[in-house]
Amino acid sequence: MNQRNYQRELEKIIARHQERGEVPRLLLHSCCAPCSSYCLEYLSGYFWITVLYYNPNIYPPEEVRRRADEQERLIASIPAKHTITYVEGSYLPEQFYEAVKGHEHDPEGGERCFLCYRLRLEEAAREAKKGEFDYFTTTLSISPLKNAAKLNEIGEELGAAYGVAYLPSDFKKKDGYRRSVELSKEYGLYRQDYCGCVFSAGHLAK
């Protein structure tokens, strides 16, 4: 079975809208400012973007606030052909702990992470449906440590369930991750050294 090229699929969608003179509306779930930097630089040339910062997995609470503030600062600073707006979701960590219950000791990158993908993508799908967006997607695939195939699989499943198209993506392609590191340095962004949850930080939940 041929492995899908999500970047090529994204480029075809962009080209189709460009040919029609259309600028679709995109809800972009973001985990943090550094991961969103390249995504915003790239996608804002083709979409009206609303960034959704919804990450109940992040621990501790002060880390949530720090990342959210950096996200807002980046949006206010980065040049964009089309306006970028920002929405901050509720921080309810109990949602994350309930979603991953029984998987606390799974290895990093395993089923616990997939459940976390689903939790955040489902909120993005709900918001995209409510706001009548054309597409939704996530910045998560920019990380070399994240499973792009699984993210797209979950996103497309939720898109079908909520009636909003999931924008296929693998943002690490075309040197996306490298560019995100460059942009983080350029804007002086805080780059965390762990994914976000208490487990990825090497601790055990109380």
Side-chain angles (χ1 to χ4, degrees):
M1 185 174 68
N2 291 331
Q3 188 174 5
R4 287 174 60 183
N5 186 321
Y6 299 106
Q7 175 62 31
R8 191 172 299 154
E9 291 180 28
L10 171 58
E11 289 170 357
K12 287 180 179 177
I13 290 169
I14 288 172
R16 186 169 70 243
H17 287 295
Q18 290 279 285
E19 287 168 6
R20 297 172 181 170
E22 299 168 343
V23 183
R25 297 177 65 236
L26 169 67
L27 185 80
L28 177 66
H29 165 265
S30 177
C31 55
C32 62
C35 285
S36 74
S37 59
Y38 165 73
C39 303
L40 293 175
E41 180 183 67
Y42 173 37
L43 296 173
S44 64
Y46 310 106
F47 297 89
W48 298 105
I49 299 174
T50 293
V51 172
L52 170 66
Y53 182 83
Y54 169 75
N55 300 289
N57 58 307
I58 293 177
Y59 174 90
E62 51 267 29
E63 177 76 8
V64 181
R65 187 69 263 145
R66 188 173 184 183
R67 294 193 194 195
D69 289 346
E70 284 292 85
Q71 183 69 76
E72 286 196 89
R73 183 170 71 84
L74 175 65
I75 290 170
S77 305
I78 196 166
K81 181 177 179 180
H82 299 103
T83 304
I84 302 168
T85 55
Y86 176 76
V87 174
E88 189 169 324
S90 300
Y91 176 60
L92 299 170
E94 60 271 20
Q95 294 176 336
F96 168 69
Y97 292 117
E98 181 61 30
V100 303
K101 192 173 181 179
H103 294 271
E104 293 86 350
H105 299 284
D106 286 3
E108 196 70 11
E111 186 63 28
R112 184 185 69 242
C113 294
F114 298 162
L115 292 167
C116 184
Y117 295 172
R118 180 175 293 277
L119 174 66
R120 291 184 279 175
L121 281 169
E122 185 155 17
E123 181 66 14
R126 284 193 201 97
E127 286 295 318
K129 176 71 172 179
K130 185 168 68 175
E132 298 183 339
F133 285 81
D134 299 297
Y135 297 96
F136 75 101
T137 196
T138 179
T139 64
L140 287 167
S141 71
I142 201 167
S143 169
L145 302 176
K146 298 293 187 293
N147 187 322
K150 195 68 179 178
L151 284 163
N152 280 274
E153 175 190 318
I154 293 169
E156 288 172 352
E157 178 190 326
L158 291 169
Y162 283 86
V164 184
Y166 183 76
L167 191 69
S169 51
D170 188 357
F171 292 119
K172 69 180 71 67
K173 300 292 187 181
K174 299 185 74 172
D175 284 331
Y177 178 71
R178 179 186 60 78
R179 180 60 180 153
S180 75
V181 173
E182 291 174 353
L183 287 166
S184 295
K185 290 178 181 176
E186 181 179 335
Y187 288 97
L189 298 176
Y190 161 62
R191 288 182 65 84
Q192 58 284 348
D193 58 5
Y194 66 106
C195 176
C197 78
V198 66
F199 311 110
S200 66
H203 305 291
L204 289 176
K206 300 294 185 184

